[in-house]
Amino acid sequence: LFKFLTQDESITDLAGVHMVARIKGDVQDTFKQIDEDGNGFVDSNELRKVLTRLGDQVTDTDVMSCMEAIDTNKDGKISFEEFYPWYYQSKLRMKADIKRIFAKYDENH
C-alpha cells in the first residue's frame, strides 16, 4: 500500500509520508528524532539520514529539494516552526490518499 500511495510523489512528499507513517510519536516526537544533535534545528545532514531511511539512494538534489520546500525562511536549517505545517500537510495528504484509494476499490459502498 505504501508503494502504491507514493509511486508518483516528489521526494519532498515521500519524505513527509515516510515521517508520518514510519516514525512513532506526534509531530514533536518526530522532530526530536530527526534532530539528532538536539539543537532545535534539522540540518541537511540530519535530513539526508531520514531520507536515506526511505530505502533508495538519496542525491544532493533530493536533500536540497526538501530543504527548499521545508526551510521557509531560507536560513539553511529547519526549525520546528517550519517543520510543523509541512508535517501536518503530509499527514492530511496521506489520509486523503488512503480514503480516495479505499473509496475507489470498495465494492460495498
Side-chain angles (χ1 to χ4, degrees), residues 35-48:
D35 176 21
E36 292 181 342
D37 63 9
N39 70 351
F41 298 96
V42 173
D43 63 30
S44 60
N45 290 326
E46 291 165 327
L47 184 59
R48 178 181 297 279

Side-chain angles (χ1 to χ4, degrees), residues 20-86:
V20 169
R22 296 187 180 174
I23 299 177
K24 295 185 190 288
D26 64 11
V27 64
Q28 283 186 316
D29 295 330
T30 300
F31 185 82
K32 287 178 184 177
Q33 289 180 54
I34 299 165
D35 176 21
E36 292 181 342
D37 63 9
N39 70 351
F41 298 96
V42 173
D43 63 30
S44 60
N45 290 326
E46 291 165 327
L47 184 59
R48 178 181 297 279
K49 286 180 184 178
V50 77
L51 293 176
T52 301
R53 293 181 203 152
L54 290 170
D56 289 329
Q57 290 285 341
V58 177
T59 66
D60 291 341
T61 303
D62 293 336
V63 175
M64 192 169 45
S65 176
C66 286
M67 285 296 290
E68 287 175 2
I70 306 168
D71 178 21
T72 57
N73 70 2
K74 308 301 180 210
D75 65 354
K77 55 191 176 184
I78 300 168
S79 67
F80 180 76
E81 290 75 20
E82 293 168 312
F83 183 80
Y84 182 90
W86 175 81

